[in-house]
Amino acid sequence: MTGNGSRWAVRAARFVRRRLCREWHGIVTEPVRQLVRRGLSGIVLAFVAATGVVLFHDVAQHPAGRRLVWHLGGVTADLPLWLSLLRTPVSLYVPALDLPVWAGITQLFLAFALAELVLGRARTLAVAYLTTLAGTLTARVMVALGPGWWGLGLPPEAGGILDTGPSAAVVGLFTYLAVVRRAPVVFALTGGSMVWESLAVPNLAGREHLVAVAVALVLGLLHGRRPPVPVRRLTRRPAERLGTRPVPPRVHAPDSLDPVTSFGTPQPLRIPRNPLSHAADPPNCSTTSM
């Protein structure tokens, strides 16, 4: 029994070591190589996000600035839907005033930098926006349900709580990276910590973080897969969607000088006759008639 236990321990240690090495290569080594190859231009989104959070945080320290930040990017569940959708992109730069801003900026910069180097700018922005939007819309649904509903609903007072801001995007990006790169340790540190926070302190922010984790998990599982048949049909060319056949390219008739006709039989080259070749010779002007 002791020998079997030691063998299982050695195998488990090797498995954990291989898994950690693979995660380190996918999460750290490859992004660092991309950073060395592309330079600082590969982490533009990280600098923009960190600079925006610092700017909004400094402006919000004054009463007038706090009102300005609220009108630009403040999102709550009791706002009209169109206004919430309009402010949601700016809310990515509005941090919660009761949280340590520098720790949040470090996490924000790291999340956007890794995501931009691994996924690209377009996919990074899409994941960050979709996870934040999902948390915002879910909060509205919870407030609309009201207390009860097996703990899913929220009281009306929760409708005036400020949205999570960039934290939902950070959680969503880390979760998406962990799923795409097959990194369970990173997923446990991000998604697992959000689950523990939601259970320990059941508030609106924790629920929005859980929604962001769930949406990022689904997006990560769908990464690299072909879209379903209805989506592929919608993305086809307009001619195919309308049922029309593409017009075949116009084939020009073979030239008369071409030695090969349309039937593929070689033919002798026909050179047109020169009309001047058989004309009468011009009179010799050097001789005169006597």
Side-chain angles (χ1 to χ4, degrees):
M1 297 296 294
T2 304
N4 292 334
S6 61
R7 270 199 304 271
W8 280 107
V10 171
R11 291 180 180 178
R14 291 177 179 175
F15 175 78
V16 171
R17 186 185 64 179
R18 289 196 301 267
R19 176 58 61 182
L20 291 178
C21 290
R22 187 177 300 175
E23 288 195 29
W24 180 266
H25 178 74
I27 300 296
V28 179
T29 305
E30 290 188 8
V32 170
R33 290 177 181 175
Q34 292 289 333
L35 180 61
V36 172
R37 185 177 62 87
R38 299 168 56 184
L40 296 180
S41 61
I43 53 175
V44 173
L45 289 180
F47 282 109
V48 171
T51 304
V53 170
V54 172
L55 178 62
F56 275 94
H57 183 270
D58 290 342
V59 172
Q61 300 303 315
H62 307 280
R66 182 173 300 183
R67 290 193 297 269
L68 177 63
V69 171
W70 160 252
H71 287 295
L72 290 177
V75 177
T76 56
D78 56 359
L79 287 176
L81 180 59
W82 66 270
L83 188 57
S84 296
L85 296 177
L86 188 63
R87 293 181 180 180
T88 298
V90 187
S91 67
L92 294 174
Y93 305 102
V94 180
L97 300 178
D98 56 345
L99 295 178
V101 62
W102 292 112
I105 289 176
T106 303
Q107 296 177 4
L108 178 71
F109 184 87
L110 185 60
F112 272 88
L114 290 176
E116 186 175 1
L117 292 172
V118 174
L119 307 174
R121 293 178 184 174
R123 193 176 296 272
T124 299
L125 290 175
V127 172
Y129 179 75
L130 289 177
T131 51
T132 303
L133 182 62
T136 300
L137 297 180
T138 305
R140 298 177 65 90
V141 173
M142 291 180 180
V143 173
L145 291 176
W149 295 88
W150 299 280
L152 296 178
L154 291 173
E157 294 79 13
I161 300 177
L162 189 65
D163 195 43
T164 56
S167 59
V170 171
V171 174
L173 288 175
F174 273 125
T175 304
Y176 188 89
L177 283 173
V179 175
V180 170
R181 290 295 181 174
R182 303 295 189 269
V185 176
V186 178
F187 180 78
L189 293 177
T190 55
S193 62
M194 291 300 103
V195 173
W196 174 256
E197 176 189 355
S198 179
L199 294 177
V201 184
N203 53 11
L204 180 60
R207 298 189 181 194
E208 291 186 3
H209 290 162
L210 287 180
V211 173
V213 170
V215 173
L217 179 62
V218 173
L219 293 177
L221 293 176
L222 296 177
H223 177 78
R225 296 189 177 184
R226 297 182 62 187
V229 176
V231 177
R232 292 202 301 268
R233 290 178 178 176
L234 290 176
T235 55
R236 288 178 180 176
R237 294 180 300 176
E240 295 181 356
R241 291 203 304 265
L242 295 175
T244 58
R245 296 182 179 179
V247 179
R250 186 175 180 180
V251 180
H252 296 281
D255 195 359
S256 60
L257 299 179
D258 191 1
V260 180
T261 61
S262 60
F263 297 97
T265 305
Q267 299 292 334
L269 184 62
R270 298 178 180 177
I271 301 177
R273 299 173 60 184
N274 190 355
L276 300 179
S277 60
H278 298 282
D281 295 332
N284 192 354
C285 299
S286 59
T287 59
T288 59
S289 58
M290 297 301 295

mmCIF file of all heavy atoms in Angstrom, residues 200-220:
data_model
loop_
_atom_site.group_PDB
_atom_site.id
_atom_site.type_symbol
_atom_site.label_atom_id
_atom_site.label_comp_id
_atom_site.label_asym_id
_atom_site.label_seq_id
_atom_site.Cartn_x
_atom_site.Cartn_y
_atom_site.Cartn_z
ATOM 1 N N ALA A 200 -19.713 34.719 0.366
ATOM 2 C CA ALA A 200 -19.334 35.345 1.634
ATOM 3 C C ALA A 200 -20.043 36.678 1.821
ATOM 4 O O ALA A 200 -20.557 36.980 2.917
ATOM 5 C CB ALA A 200 -17.819 35.538 1.691
ATOM 6 N N VAL A 201 -20.091 37.496 0.767
ATOM 7 C CA VAL A 201 -20.744 38.812 0.836
ATOM 8 C C VAL A 201 -21.780 38.869 -0.283
ATOM 9 O O VAL A 201 -21.491 39.284 -1.409
ATOM 10 C CB VAL A 201 -19.716 39.953 0.683
ATOM 11 C CG1 VAL A 201 -20.400 41.307 0.867
ATOM 12 C CG2 VAL A 201 -18.578 39.788 1.660
ATOM 13 N N PRO A 202 -22.999 38.438 -0.007
ATOM 14 C CA PRO A 202 -24.018 38.427 -1.077
ATOM 15 C C PRO A 202 -24.532 39.833 -1.373
ATOM 16 O O PRO A 202 -25.390 40.367 -0.676
ATOM 17 C CB PRO A 202 -25.126 37.540 -0.489
ATOM 18 C CG PRO A 202 -24.947 37.637 0.993
ATOM 19 C CD PRO A 202 -23.494 37.855 1.249
ATOM 20 N N ASN A 203 -23.979 40.440 -2.402
ATOM 21 C CA ASN A 203 -24.401 41.781 -2.806
ATOM 22 C C ASN A 203 -24.573 41.815 -4.323
ATOM 23 O O ASN A 203 -24.385 40.812 -5.023
ATOM 24 C CB ASN A 203 -23.394 42.840 -2.343
ATOM 25 C CG ASN A 203 -21.980 42.508 -2.795
ATOM 26 O OD1 ASN A 203 -21.770 41.612 -3.620
ATOM 27 N ND2 ASN A 203 -21.005 43.215 -2.246
ATOM 28 N N LEU A 204 -24.905 42.980 -4.829
ATOM 29 C CA LEU A 204 -25.149 43.121 -6.257
ATOM 30 C C LEU A 204 -23.870 42.941 -7.067
ATOM 31 O O LEU A 204 -23.881 42.310 -8.129
ATOM 32 C CB LEU A 204 -25.764 44.495 -6.547
ATOM 33 C CG LEU A 204 -26.090 44.802 -8.010
ATOM 34 C CD1 LEU A 204 -27.093 43.813 -8.566
ATOM 35 C CD2 LEU A 204 -26.606 46.231 -8.149
ATOM 36 N N ALA A 205 -22.756 43.457 -6.572
ATOM 37 C CA ALA A 205 -21.496 43.334 -7.313
ATOM 38 C C ALA A 205 -21.073 41.878 -7.460
ATOM 39 O O ALA A 205 -20.615 41.447 -8.522
ATOM 40 C CB ALA A 205 -20.401 44.142 -6.617
ATOM 41 N N GLY A 206 -21.236 41.105 -6.388
ATOM 42 C CA GLY A 206 -20.884 39.694 -6.473
ATOM 43 C C GLY A 206 -21.729 38.938 -7.487
ATOM 44 O O GLY A 206 -21.223 38.085 -8.220
ATOM 45 N N ARG A 207 -23.003 39.269 -7.563
ATOM 46 C CA ARG A 207 -23.871 38.616 -8.543
ATOM 47 C C ARG A 207 -23.490 39.002 -9.971
ATOM 48 O O ARG A 207 -23.492 38.163 -10.880
ATOM 49 C CB ARG A 207 -25.327 38.972 -8.265
ATOM 50 C CG ARG A 207 -25.817 38.497 -6.905
ATOM 51 C CD ARG A 207 -27.301 38.690 -6.772
ATOM 52 N NE ARG A 207 -27.782 38.255 -5.466
ATOM 53 C CZ ARG A 207 -29.057 38.059 -5.159
ATOM 54 N NH1 ARG A 207 -29.987 38.265 -6.094
ATOM 55 N NH2 ARG A 207 -29.416 37.670 -3.962
ATOM 56 N N GLU A 208 -23.171 40.264 -10.177
ATOM 57 C CA GLU A 208 -22.747 40.679 -11.515
ATOM 58 C C GLU A 208 -21.438 40.010 -11.907
ATOM 59 O O GLU A 208 -21.224 39.670 -13.076
ATOM 60 C CB GLU A 208 -22.611 42.209 -11.559
ATOM 61 C CG GLU A 208 -23.945 42.940 -11.460
ATOM 62 C CD GLU A 208 -23.796 44.424 -11.655
ATOM 63 O OE1 GLU A 208 -22.654 44.875 -11.922
ATOM 64 O OE2 GLU A 208 -24.800 45.159 -11.548
ATOM 65 N N HIS A 209 -20.547 39.810 -10.951
ATOM 66 C CA HIS A 209 -19.307 39.101 -11.243
ATOM 67 C C HIS A 209 -19.578 37.646 -11.621
ATOM 68 O O HIS A 209 -18.924 37.097 -12.533
ATOM 69 C CB HIS A 209 -18.369 39.177 -10.041
ATOM 70 C CG HIS A 209 -17.823 40.537 -9.803
ATOM 71 N ND1 HIS A 209 -17.264 40.926 -8.598
ATOM 72 C CD2 HIS A 209 -17.767 41.634 -10.613
ATOM 73 C CE1 HIS A 209 -16.868 42.185 -8.678
ATOM 74 N NE2 HIS A 209 -17.167 42.630 -9.896
ATOM 75 N N LEU A 210 -20.513 37.022 -10.945
ATOM 76 C CA LEU A 210 -20.855 35.642 -11.306
ATOM 77 C C LEU A 210 -21.437 35.565 -12.721
ATOM 78 O O LEU A 210 -21.138 34.634 -13.471
ATOM 79 C CB LEU A 210 -21.856 35.080 -10.292
ATOM 80 C CG LEU A 210 -21.312 34.741 -8.912
ATOM 81 C CD1 LEU A 210 -22.427 34.182 -8.025
ATOM 82 C CD2 LEU A 210 -20.168 33.740 -8.994
ATOM 83 N N VAL A 211 -22.252 36.536 -13.064
ATOM 84 C CA VAL A 211 -22.807 36.568 -14.424
ATOM 85 C C VAL A 211 -21.688 36.772 -15.439
ATOM 86 O O VAL A 211 -21.668 36.138 -16.505
ATOM 87 C CB VAL A 211 -23.869 37.665 -14.532
ATOM 88 C CG1 VAL A 211 -24.330 37.825 -15.972
ATOM 89 C CG2 VAL A 211 -25.061 37.336 -13.641
ATOM 90 N N ALA A 212 -20.735 37.639 -15.132
ATOM 91 C CA ALA A 212 -19.612 37.860 -16.043
ATOM 92 C C ALA A 212 -18.789 36.584 -16.214
ATOM 93 O O ALA A 212 -18.353 36.254 -17.322
ATOM 94 C CB ALA A 212 -18.726 38.998 -15.518
ATOM 95 N N VAL A 213 -18.580 35.846 -15.125
ATOM 96 C CA VAL A 213 -17.846 34.583 -15.212
ATOM 97 C C VAL A 213 -18.601 33.586 -16.088
ATOM 98 O O VAL A 213 -18.011 32.890 -16.936
ATOM 99 C CB VAL A 213 -17.599 34.012 -13.803
ATOM 100 C CG1 VAL A 213 -17.068 32.580 -13.878
ATOM 101 C CG2 VAL A 213 -16.613 34.883 -13.044
ATOM 102 N N ALA A 214 -19.919 33.491 -15.896
ATOM 103 C CA ALA A 214 -20.712 32.540 -16.679
ATOM 104 C C ALA A 214 -20.699 32.891 -18.170
ATOM 105 O O ALA A 214 -20.532 32.011 -19.030
ATOM 106 C CB ALA A 214 -22.148 32.512 -16.153
ATOM 107 N N VAL A 215 -20.853 34.172 -18.494
ATOM 108 C CA VAL A 215 -20.851 34.587 -19.904
ATOM 109 C C VAL A 215 -19.481 34.349 -20.531
ATOM 110 O O VAL A 215 -19.369 33.847 -21.661
ATOM 111 C CB VAL A 215 -21.268 36.058 -20.019
ATOM 112 C CG1 VAL A 215 -21.098 36.564 -21.448
ATOM 113 C CG2 VAL A 215 -22.715 36.231 -19.585
ATOM 114 N N ALA A 216 -18.420 34.684 -19.809
ATOM 115 C CA ALA A 216 -17.072 34.446 -20.339
ATOM 116 C C ALA A 216 -16.792 32.962 -20.499
ATOM 117 O O ALA A 216 -16.102 32.550 -21.445
ATOM 118 C CB ALA A 216 -16.035 35.079 -19.411
ATOM 119 N N LEU A 217 -17.331 32.145 -19.595
ATOM 120 C CA LEU A 217 -17.156 30.697 -19.718
ATOM 121 C C LEU A 217 -17.820 30.171 -20.985
ATOM 122 O O LEU A 217 -17.237 29.365 -21.725
ATOM 123 C CB LEU A 217 -17.729 30.006 -18.478
ATOM 124 C CG LEU A 217 -17.661 28.474 -18.442
ATOM 125 C CD1 LEU A 217 -16.213 28.005 -18.474
ATOM 126 C CD2 LEU A 217 -18.354 27.948 -17.189
ATOM 127 N N VAL A 218 -19.028 30.629 -21.261
ATOM 128 C CA VAL A 218 -19.730 30.190 -22.468
ATOM 129 C C VAL A 218 -18.998 30.675 -23.722
ATOM 130 O O VAL A 218 -18.814 29.920 -24.690
ATOM 131 C CB VAL A 218 -21.183 30.690 -22.449
ATOM 132 C CG1 VAL A 218 -21.877 30.383 -23.769
ATOM 133 C CG2 VAL A 218 -21.943 30.054 -21.293
ATOM 134 N N LEU A 219 -18.560 31.925 -23.721
ATOM 135 C CA LEU A 219 -17.831 32.447 -24.874
ATOM 136 C C LEU A 219 -16.521 31.708 -25.094
ATOM 137 O O LEU A 219 -16.115 31.453 -26.234
ATOM 138 C CB LEU A 219 -17.565 33.941 -24.686
ATOM 139 C CG LEU A 219 -18.777 34.872 -24.693
ATOM 140 C CD1 LEU A 219 -18.356 36.308 -24.417
ATOM 141 C CD2 LEU A 219 -19.516 34.790 -26.023
ATOM 142 N N GLY A 220 -15.855 31.347 -23.999
ATOM 143 C CA GLY A 220 -14.615 30.603 -24.136
ATOM 144 C C GLY A 220 -14.826 29.205 -24.675
ATOM 145 O O GLY A 220 -14.020 28.703 -25.470
#
